[in-house]
PDB file of all heavy atoms in Angstrom:
ATOM      1  N   ARG A 499       7.169  -8.297 -17.937  1.00 98.00           N
ATOM      2  CA  ARG A 499       5.767  -8.340 -17.949  1.00 98.00           C
ATOM      3  C   ARG A 499       5.124  -9.564 -18.653  1.00 98.00           C
ATOM      4  O   ARG A 499       4.233 -10.207 -18.103  1.00 98.00           O
ATOM      5  CB  ARG A 499       5.127  -7.056 -18.519  1.00 98.00           C
ATOM      6  CG  ARG A 499       5.306  -5.799 -17.711  1.00 98.00           C
ATOM      7  CD  ARG A 499       4.392  -4.757 -18.210  1.00 98.00           C
ATOM      8  NE  ARG A 499       4.894  -3.423 -17.516  1.00 98.00           N
ATOM      9  CZ  ARG A 499       5.586  -2.457 -18.170  1.00 98.00           C
ATOM     10  NH1 ARG A 499       6.052  -2.718 -19.301  1.00 98.00           N
ATOM     11  NH2 ARG A 499       5.843  -1.338 -17.479  1.00 98.00           N
ATOM     12  N   GLU A 565      -7.129  -8.992  -1.635  1.00 98.00           N
ATOM     13  CA  GLU A 565      -6.962  -7.994  -2.478  1.00 98.00           C
ATOM     14  C   GLU A 565      -5.699  -8.249  -3.427  1.00 98.00           C
ATOM     15  O   GLU A 565      -5.982  -8.064  -4.672  1.00 98.00           O
ATOM     16  CB  GLU A 565      -6.612  -6.708  -1.754  1.00 98.00           C
ATOM     17  CG  GLU A 565      -5.945  -5.599  -2.401  1.00 98.00           C
ATOM     18  CD  GLU A 565      -6.946  -4.658  -3.049  1.00 98.00           C
ATOM     19  OE1 GLU A 565      -8.064  -4.619  -2.637  1.00 98.00           O
ATOM     20  OE2 GLU A 565      -6.556  -3.933  -4.054  1.00 98.00           O
ATOM     21  N   TRP A 566      -4.775  -8.873  -3.017  1.00 98.00           N
ATOM     22  CA  TRP A 566      -3.605  -8.838  -3.841  1.00 98.00           C
ATOM     23  C   TRP A 566      -3.134 -10.277  -4.374  1.00 98.00           C
ATOM     24  O   TRP A 566      -2.749 -10.429  -5.488  1.00 98.00           O
ATOM     25  CB  TRP A 566      -2.335  -8.362  -3.133  1.00 98.00           C
ATOM     26  CG  TRP A 566      -2.591  -6.839  -2.728  1.00 98.00           C
ATOM     27  CD1 TRP A 566      -2.575  -6.231  -1.597  1.00 98.00           C
ATOM     28  CD2 TRP A 566      -2.550  -5.856  -3.852  1.00 98.00           C
ATOM     29  NE1 TRP A 566      -2.601  -4.912  -1.688  1.00 98.00           N
ATOM     30  CE2 TRP A 566      -2.646  -4.557  -3.139  1.00 98.00           C
ATOM     31  CE3 TRP A 566      -2.434  -5.831  -5.228  1.00 98.00           C
ATOM     32  CZ2 TRP A 566      -2.673  -3.403  -3.777  1.00 98.00           C
ATOM     33  CZ3 TRP A 566      -2.463  -4.672  -5.893  1.00 98.00           C
ATOM     34  CH2 TRP A 566      -2.638  -3.420  -5.172  1.00 98.00           C
ATOM     35  N   ALA A 575      -0.949  -9.022 -11.690  1.00 98.00           N
ATOM     36  CA  ALA A 575      -0.241  -7.900 -10.919  1.00 98.00           C
ATOM     37  C   ALA A 575       1.182  -8.260 -10.628  1.00 98.00           C
ATOM     38  O   ALA A 575       1.405  -9.465 -10.255  1.00 98.00           O
ATOM     39  CB  ALA A 575      -1.164  -7.566  -9.551  1.00 98.00           C
ATOM     40  N   ILE A 576       1.977  -7.334 -10.688  1.00 98.00           N
ATOM     41  CA  ILE A 576       3.384  -7.524 -10.381  1.00 98.00           C
ATOM     42  C   ILE A 576       3.686  -6.870  -8.907  1.00 98.00           C
ATOM     43  O   ILE A 576       3.614  -5.723  -8.764  1.00 98.00           O
ATOM     44  CB  ILE A 576       4.293  -6.972 -11.471  1.00 98.00           C
ATOM     45  CG1 ILE A 576       3.981  -7.757 -12.799  1.00 98.00           C
ATOM     46  CG2 ILE A 576       5.727  -7.040 -11.173  1.00 98.00           C
ATOM     47  CD1 ILE A 576       4.707  -7.271 -13.976  1.00 98.00           C
ATOM     48  N   PRO A 577       4.311  -7.653  -8.081  1.00 98.00           N
ATOM     49  CA  PRO A 577       4.741  -7.045  -6.786  1.00 98.00           C
ATOM     50  C   PRO A 577       6.162  -6.855  -6.638  1.00 98.00           C
ATOM     51  O   PRO A 577       7.002  -7.234  -7.458  1.00 98.00           O
ATOM     52  CB  PRO A 577       4.375  -8.240  -5.660  1.00 98.00           C
ATOM     53  CG  PRO A 577       4.697  -9.501  -6.459  1.00 98.00           C
ATOM     54  CD  PRO A 577       4.464  -9.109  -8.076  1.00 98.00           C
ATOM     55  N   ALA A 578       6.568  -5.921  -5.758  1.00 98.00           N
ATOM     56  CA  ALA A 578       8.026  -5.657  -5.527  1.00 98.00           C
ATOM     57  C   ALA A 578       8.307  -5.663  -3.870  1.00 98.00           C
ATOM     58  O   ALA A 578       7.256  -5.445  -3.194  1.00 98.00           O
ATOM     59  CB  ALA A 578       8.379  -4.248  -6.096  1.00 98.00           C
ATOM     60  N   VAL A 613      15.329  -1.800  -5.752  1.00 98.00           N
ATOM     61  CA  VAL A 613      14.065  -2.431  -5.700  1.00 98.00           C
ATOM     62  C   VAL A 613      13.795  -3.247  -6.997  1.00 98.00           C
ATOM     63  O   VAL A 613      13.551  -2.642  -8.128  1.00 98.00           O
ATOM     64  CB  VAL A 613      13.008  -1.486  -5.471  1.00 98.00           C
ATOM     65  CG1 VAL A 613      11.625  -2.192  -5.384  1.00 98.00           C
ATOM     66  CG2 VAL A 613      13.175  -0.681  -4.205  1.00 98.00           C
ATOM     67  N   ASN A 615      11.915  -5.123  -9.721  1.00 98.00           N
ATOM     68  CA  ASN A 615      10.561  -4.709 -10.302  1.00 98.00           C
ATOM     69  C   ASN A 615      10.185  -3.387 -10.165  1.00 98.00           C
ATOM     70  O   ASN A 615       9.049  -2.883 -10.470  1.00 98.00           O
ATOM     71  CB  ASN A 615       9.482  -5.686  -9.723  1.00 98.00           C
ATOM     72  CG  ASN A 615       9.348  -6.989 -10.449  1.00 98.00           C
ATOM     73  OD1 ASN A 615      10.037  -7.160 -11.551  1.00 98.00           O
ATOM     74  ND2 ASN A 615       8.622  -7.983  -9.978  1.00 98.00           N
ATOM     75  N   GLY A 616      11.111  -2.498  -9.475  1.00 98.00           N
ATOM     76  CA  GLY A 616      10.748  -1.062  -9.367  1.00 98.00           C
ATOM     77  C   GLY A 616      10.594  -0.568 -10.716  1.00 98.00           C
ATOM     78  O   GLY A 616      11.335  -0.752 -11.669  1.00 98.00           O
ATOM     79  N   GLY A 617       9.459   0.215 -10.922  1.00 95.00           N
ATOM     80  CA  GLY A 617       9.183   0.724 -12.210  1.00 95.00           C
ATOM     81  C   GLY A 617       8.192   0.042 -12.927  1.00 95.00           C
ATOM     82  O   GLY A 617       7.352   0.588 -13.784  1.00 95.00           O
ATOM     83  N   ILE A 618       8.037  -1.361 -12.700  1.00 98.00           N
ATOM     84  CA  ILE A 618       6.855  -2.183 -13.420  1.00 98.00           C
ATOM     85  C   ILE A 618       6.084  -2.748 -12.431  1.00 98.00           C
ATOM     86  O   ILE A 618       5.039  -3.368 -12.843  1.00 98.00           O
ATOM     87  CB  ILE A 618       7.579  -3.213 -14.388  1.00 98.00           C
ATOM     88  CG1 ILE A 618       8.148  -4.387 -13.561  1.00 98.00           C
ATOM     89  CG2 ILE A 618       8.499  -2.606 -15.343  1.00 98.00           C
ATOM     90  CD1 ILE A 618       8.541  -5.536 -14.491  1.00 98.00           C
ATOM     91  N   ALA A 619       6.208  -2.578 -11.183  1.00 98.00           N
ATOM     92  CA  ALA A 619       5.364  -3.129 -10.148  1.00 98.00           C
ATOM     93  C   ALA A 619       4.078  -2.460  -9.955  1.00 98.00           C
ATOM     94  O   ALA A 619       3.858  -1.320 -10.358  1.00 98.00           O
ATOM     95  CB  ALA A 619       6.045  -3.209  -8.827  1.00 98.00           C
ATOM     96  N   ASP A 620       2.988  -3.305  -9.629  1.00 98.00           N
ATOM     97  CA  ASP A 620       1.627  -2.767  -9.298  1.00 98.00           C
ATOM     98  C   ASP A 620       1.604  -2.493  -7.841  1.00 98.00           C
ATOM     99  O   ASP A 620       0.716  -1.805  -7.340  1.00 98.00           O
ATOM    100  CB  ASP A 620       0.583  -3.731  -9.809  1.00 98.00           C
ATOM    101  CG  ASP A 620       0.760  -3.912 -11.252  1.00 98.00           C
ATOM    102  OD1 ASP A 620       0.444  -2.994 -12.050  1.00 98.00           O
ATOM    103  OD2 ASP A 620       1.152  -5.003 -11.751  1.00 98.00           O
ATOM    104  N   LEU A 621       2.340  -3.233  -7.029  1.00 98.00           N
ATOM    105  CA  LEU A 621       2.220  -3.121  -5.580  1.00 98.00           C
ATOM    106  C   LEU A 621       3.641  -3.207  -4.870  1.00 98.00           C
ATOM    107  O   LEU A 621       4.534  -3.878  -5.488  1.00 98.00           O
ATOM    108  CB  LEU A 621       1.262  -4.077  -4.851  1.00 98.00           C
ATOM    109  CG  LEU A 621       1.730  -5.626  -5.101  1.00 98.00           C
ATOM    110  CD1 LEU A 621       1.269  -6.337  -3.907  1.00 98.00           C
ATOM    111  CD2 LEU A 621       0.993  -6.149  -6.382  1.00 98.00           C
ATOM    112  N   TYR A 622       3.923  -2.527  -3.871  1.00 98.00           N
ATOM    113  CA  TYR A 622       5.149  -2.503  -3.199  1.00 98.00           C
ATOM    114  C   TYR A 622       4.967  -2.922  -1.727  1.00 98.00           C
ATOM    115  O   TYR A 622       4.137  -2.388  -0.975  1.00 98.00           O
ATOM    116  CB  TYR A 622       5.823  -1.059  -3.223  1.00 98.00           C
ATOM    117  CG  TYR A 622       6.288  -0.790  -4.634  1.00 98.00           C
ATOM    118  CD1 TYR A 622       5.347  -0.043  -5.620  1.00 98.00           C
ATOM    119  CD2 TYR A 622       7.536  -1.001  -5.062  1.00 98.00           C
ATOM    120  CE1 TYR A 622       5.766   0.242  -6.838  1.00 98.00           C
ATOM    121  CE2 TYR A 622       8.020  -0.786  -6.382  1.00 98.00           C
ATOM    122  CZ  TYR A 622       7.115  -0.112  -7.219  1.00 98.00           C
ATOM    123  OH  TYR A 622       7.478   0.185  -8.532  1.00 98.00           O
ATOM    124  N   THR A 623       5.762  -3.926  -1.328  1.00 98.00           N
ATOM    125  CA  THR A 623       5.839  -4.130   0.124  1.00 98.00           C
ATOM    126  C   THR A 623       7.029  -3.346   0.677  1.00 98.00           C
ATOM    127  O   THR A 623       8.166  -3.469   0.186  1.00 98.00           O
ATOM    128  CB  THR A 623       6.156  -5.648   0.487  1.00 98.00           C
ATOM    129  OG1 THR A 623       5.166  -6.415  -0.178  1.00 98.00           O
ATOM    130  CG2 THR A 623       6.368  -5.978   1.903  1.00 98.00           C
ATOM    131  N   VAL A 624       6.802  -2.472   1.674  1.00 98.00           N
ATOM    132  CA  VAL A 624       7.780  -1.554   2.097  1.00 98.00           C
ATOM    133  C   VAL A 624       8.113  -1.496   3.507  1.00 98.00           C
ATOM    134  O   VAL A 624       7.012  -1.796   4.299  1.00 98.00           O
ATOM    135  CB  VAL A 624       7.261  -0.197   1.724  1.00 98.00           C
ATOM    136  CG1 VAL A 624       8.121   1.059   2.115  1.00 98.00           C
ATOM    137  CG2 VAL A 624       6.910   0.011   0.386  1.00 98.00           C
ATOM    138  N   VAL A 641       1.875  -2.535   2.720  1.00 98.00           N
ATOM    139  CA  VAL A 641       1.719  -2.876   1.277  1.00 98.00           C
ATOM    140  C   VAL A 641       0.987  -1.740   0.673  1.00 98.00           C
ATOM    141  O   VAL A 641      -0.042  -1.231   1.316  1.00 98.00           O
ATOM    142  CB  VAL A 641       1.144  -4.180   0.935  1.00 98.00           C
ATOM    143  CG1 VAL A 641      -0.237  -4.335   1.637  1.00 98.00           C
ATOM    144  CG2 VAL A 641       0.924  -4.471  -0.499  1.00 98.00           C
ATOM    145  N   LEU A 642       1.485  -1.172  -0.461  1.00 98.00           N
ATOM    146  CA  LEU A 642       0.607  -0.137  -1.043  1.00 98.00           C
ATOM    147  C   LEU A 642       0.707  -0.226  -2.657  1.00 98.00           C
ATOM    148  O   LEU A 642       1.718  -0.680  -3.127  1.00 98.00           O
ATOM    149  CB  LEU A 642       1.230   1.298  -0.619  1.00 98.00           C
ATOM    150  CG  LEU A 642       2.774   1.498  -0.651  1.00 98.00           C
ATOM    151  CD1 LEU A 642       3.038   3.007  -1.136  1.00 98.00           C
ATOM    152  CD2 LEU A 642       3.318   1.321   0.763  1.00 98.00           C
ATOM    153  N   PRO A 643      -0.365   0.315  -3.240  1.00 98.00           N
ATOM    154  CA  PRO A 643      -0.459   0.269  -4.629  1.00 98.00           C
ATOM    155  C   PRO A 643       0.582   1.178  -5.231  1.00 98.00           C
ATOM    156  O   PRO A 643       0.934   2.248  -4.710  1.00 98.00           O
ATOM    157  CB  PRO A 643      -1.758   0.728  -4.977  1.00 98.00           C
ATOM    158  CG  PRO A 643      -2.521   0.738  -3.759  1.00 98.00           C
ATOM    159  CD  PRO A 643      -1.541   0.814  -2.591  1.00 98.00           C
ATOM    160  N   ALA A 644       1.123   0.898  -6.483  1.00 98.00           N
ATOM    161  CA  ALA A 644       2.102   1.646  -7.205  1.00 98.00           C
ATOM    162  C   ALA A 644       1.648   3.068  -7.505  1.00 98.00           C
ATOM    163  O   ALA A 644       2.431   3.925  -7.579  1.00 98.00           O
ATOM    164  CB  ALA A 644       2.562   0.928  -8.456  1.00 98.00           C
ATOM    165  N   ASP A 645       0.393   3.328  -7.634  1.00 98.00           N
ATOM    166  CA  ASP A 645      -0.178   4.675  -8.022  1.00 98.00           C
ATOM    167  C   ASP A 645      -0.490   5.458  -6.815  1.00 98.00           C
ATOM    168  O   ASP A 645      -1.218   6.441  -6.796  1.00 98.00           O
ATOM    169  CB  ASP A 645      -1.358   4.453  -8.944  1.00 98.00           C
ATOM    170  CG  ASP A 645      -2.563   3.815  -8.364  1.00 98.00           C
ATOM    171  OD1 ASP A 645      -2.391   3.276  -7.220  1.00 98.00           O
ATOM    172  OD2 ASP A 645      -3.530   3.497  -9.091  1.00 98.00           O
ATOM    173  N   THR A 646      -0.005   5.052  -5.546  1.00 98.00           N
ATOM    174  CA  THR A 646      -0.233   5.837  -4.310  1.00 98.00           C
ATOM    175  C   THR A 646       0.428   7.359  -4.523  1.00 98.00           C
ATOM    176  O   THR A 646       1.630   7.319  -4.847  1.00 98.00           O
ATOM    177  CB  THR A 646       0.379   5.230  -3.123  1.00 98.00           C
ATOM    178  OG1 THR A 646      -0.222   3.908  -3.006  1.00 98.00           O
ATOM    179  CG2 THR A 646       0.061   5.934  -1.869  1.00 98.00           C
ATOM    180  N   PRO A 647      -0.304   8.326  -4.398  1.00 98.00           N
ATOM    181  CA  PRO A 647       0.273   9.652  -4.503  1.00 98.00           C
ATOM    182  C   PRO A 647       1.473   9.859  -3.575  1.00 98.00           C
ATOM    183  O   PRO A 647       1.356   9.508  -2.449  1.00 98.00           O
ATOM    184  CB  PRO A 647      -0.917  10.665  -4.170  1.00 98.00           C
ATOM    185  CG  PRO A 647      -2.240   9.828  -4.407  1.00 98.00           C
ATOM    186  CD  PRO A 647      -1.870   8.445  -4.048  1.00 98.00           C
ATOM    187  N   GLY A 648       2.625  10.401  -4.127  1.00 98.00           N
ATOM    188  CA  GLY A 648       3.776  10.576  -3.301  1.00 98.00           C
ATOM    189  C   GLY A 648       4.711   9.545  -3.517  1.00 98.00           C
ATOM    190  O   GLY A 648       6.003   9.718  -3.026  1.00 98.00           O
ATOM    191  N   LEU A 649       4.471   8.455  -4.146  1.00 98.00           N
ATOM    192  CA  LEU A 649       5.450   7.311  -4.539  1.00 98.00           C
ATOM    193  C   LEU A 649       5.900   7.604  -5.920  1.00 98.00           C
ATOM    194  O   LEU A 649       5.137   7.529  -6.918  1.00 98.00           O
ATOM    195  CB  LEU A 649       4.639   5.915  -4.406  1.00 98.00           C
ATOM    196  CG  LEU A 649       5.346   4.727  -4.908  1.00 98.00           C
ATOM    197  CD1 LEU A 649       6.896   4.718  -4.514  1.00 98.00           C
ATOM    198  CD2 LEU A 649       4.736   3.395  -4.648  1.00 98.00           C
ATOM    199  N   MET A 650       7.177   7.773  -5.942  1.00 98.00           N
ATOM    200  CA  MET A 650       7.866   8.125  -7.216  1.00 98.00           C
ATOM    201  C   MET A 650       9.074   7.290  -7.649  1.00 98.00           C
ATOM    202  O   MET A 650       9.874   6.970  -6.711  1.00 98.00           O
ATOM    203  CB  MET A 650       8.350   9.667  -7.128  1.00 98.00           C
ATOM    204  CG  MET A 650       7.295  10.587  -7.113  1.00 98.00           C
ATOM    205  SD  MET A 650       7.873  12.218  -6.751  1.00 98.00           S
ATOM    206  CE  MET A 650       8.261  12.050  -4.999  1.00 98.00           C
ATOM    207  N   ILE A 651       9.149   7.048  -8.936  1.00 98.00           N
ATOM    208  CA  ILE A 651      10.313   6.276  -9.317  1.00 98.00           C
ATOM    209  C   ILE A 651      11.272   7.306  -9.693  1.00 98.00           C
ATOM    210  O   ILE A 651      11.085   8.124 -10.739  1.00 98.00           O
ATOM    211  CB  ILE A 651       9.965   5.372 -10.613  1.00 98.00           C
ATOM    212  CG1 ILE A 651       8.838   4.542 -10.427  1.00 98.00           C
ATOM    213  CG2 ILE A 651      11.262   4.625 -11.012  1.00 98.00           C
ATOM    214  CD1 ILE A 651       8.955   3.451  -9.411  1.00 98.00           C
ATOM    215  N   LEU A 666      13.322   4.349  -5.337  1.00 98.00           N
ATOM    216  CA  LEU A 666      12.053   4.994  -5.253  1.00 98.00           C
ATOM    217  C   LEU A 666      12.026   6.082  -4.184  1.00 98.00           C
ATOM    218  O   LEU A 666      12.884   5.985  -3.214  1.00 98.00           O
ATOM    219  CB  LEU A 666      11.015   3.927  -4.679  1.00 98.00           C
ATOM    220  CG  LEU A 666      10.947   2.600  -5.303  1.00 98.00           C
ATOM    221  CD1 LEU A 666       9.959   1.796  -4.579  1.00 98.00           C
ATOM    222  CD2 LEU A 666      10.659   2.626  -6.774  1.00 98.00           C
ATOM    223  N   ARG A 667      11.283   7.126  -4.345  1.00 98.00           N
ATOM    224  CA  ARG A 667      11.096   8.072  -3.239  1.00 98.00           C
ATOM    225  C   ARG A 667       9.688   8.191  -2.748  1.00 98.00           C
ATOM    226  O   ARG A 667       8.716   8.127  -3.576  1.00 98.00           O
ATOM    227  CB  ARG A 667      11.514   9.464  -3.714  1.00 98.00           C
ATOM    228  CG  ARG A 667      11.469  10.587  -2.719  1.00 98.00           C
ATOM    229  CD  ARG A 667      12.097  11.879  -3.231  1.00 98.00           C
ATOM    230  NE  ARG A 667      13.471  11.712  -3.540  1.00 98.00           N
ATOM    231  CZ  ARG A 667      14.033  12.353  -4.559  1.00 98.00           C
ATOM    232  NH1 ARG A 667      13.354  13.269  -5.240  1.00 98.00           N
ATOM    233  NH2 ARG A 667      15.345  12.098  -4.917  1.00 98.00           N
ATOM    234  N   PHE A 668       9.541   8.219  -1.461  1.00 98.00           N
ATOM    235  CA  PHE A 668       8.260   8.404  -0.915  1.00 98.00           C
ATOM    236  C   PHE A 668       8.158   9.764  -0.264  1.00 98.00           C
ATOM    237  O   PHE A 668       8.871  10.021   0.642  1.00 98.00           O
ATOM    238  CB  PHE A 668       7.982   7.311   0.361  1.00 98.00           C
ATOM    239  CG  PHE A 668       7.994   5.924  -0.329  1.00 98.00           C
ATOM    240  CD1 PHE A 668       9.292   5.291  -0.604  1.00 98.00           C
ATOM    241  CD2 PHE A 668       6.813   5.206  -0.503  1.00 98.00           C
ATOM    242  CE1 PHE A 668       9.202   4.111  -1.012  1.00 98.00           C
ATOM    243  CE2 PHE A 668       6.928   3.896  -0.953  1.00 98.00           C
ATOM    244  CZ  PHE A 668       8.177   3.434  -1.197  1.00 98.00           C
ATOM    245  N   CYS A 671       3.846  10.457   1.603  1.00 98.00           N
ATOM    246  CA  CYS A 671       3.007   9.419   0.936  1.00 98.00           C
ATOM    247  C   CYS A 671       2.043   8.888   1.946  1.00 98.00           C
ATOM    248  O   CYS A 671       2.328   8.193   2.889  1.00 98.00           O
ATOM    249  CB  CYS A 671       3.960   8.413   0.511  1.00 98.00           C
ATOM    250  SG  CYS A 671       3.149   7.121  -0.463  1.00 98.00           S
ATOM    251  N   ILE A 673      -0.941   6.731   3.630  1.00 98.00           N
ATOM    252  CA  ILE A 673      -1.750   5.488   3.317  1.00 98.00           C
ATOM    253  C   ILE A 673      -2.656   5.149   4.470  1.00 98.00           C
ATOM    254  O   ILE A 673      -2.356   5.601   5.616  1.00 98.00           O
ATOM    255  CB  ILE A 673      -0.645   4.336   3.052  1.00 98.00           C
ATOM    256  CG1 ILE A 673       0.301   4.266   4.298  1.00 98.00           C
ATOM    257  CG2 ILE A 673       0.048   4.616   1.779  1.00 98.00           C
ATOM    258  CD1 ILE A 673       1.126   2.982   4.223  1.00 98.00           C
ATOM    259  N   PHE A 677      -3.120  -0.635   5.557  1.00 98.00           N
ATOM    260  CA  PHE A 677      -2.091  -1.121   4.589  1.00 98.00           C
ATOM    261  C   PHE A 677      -0.943  -1.733   5.473  1.00 98.00           C
ATOM    262  O   PHE A 677      -0.051  -2.206   4.810  1.00 98.00           O
ATOM    263  CB  PHE A 677      -1.471  -0.053   3.754  1.00 98.00           C
ATOM    264  CG  PHE A 677      -2.439   0.420   2.544  1.00 98.00           C
ATOM    265  CD1 PHE A 677      -3.713  -0.197   2.479  1.00 98.00           C
ATOM    266  CD2 PHE A 677      -2.044   1.309   1.637  1.00 98.00           C
ATOM    267  CE1 PHE A 677      -4.538   0.178   1.542  1.00 98.00           C
ATOM    268  CE2 PHE A 677      -2.857   1.730   0.578  1.00 98.00           C
ATOM    269  CZ  PHE A 677      -4.166   1.182   0.498  1.00 98.00           C
TER     270      PHE A 677
END
Side-chain angles (χ1 to χ4, degrees):
R499 285 194 192 98
E565 163 87 20
W566 294 115
I576 295 180
V613 179
N615 277 345
I618 67 165
D620 300 292
L621 60 146
Y622 289 89
T623 298
V624 180
V641 56
L642 49 144
D645 59 3
T646 304
L649 166 51
M650 290 167 287
I651 310 295
L666 316 179
R667 184 172 302 145
F668 298 78
C671 188
I673 55 171
F677 284 9

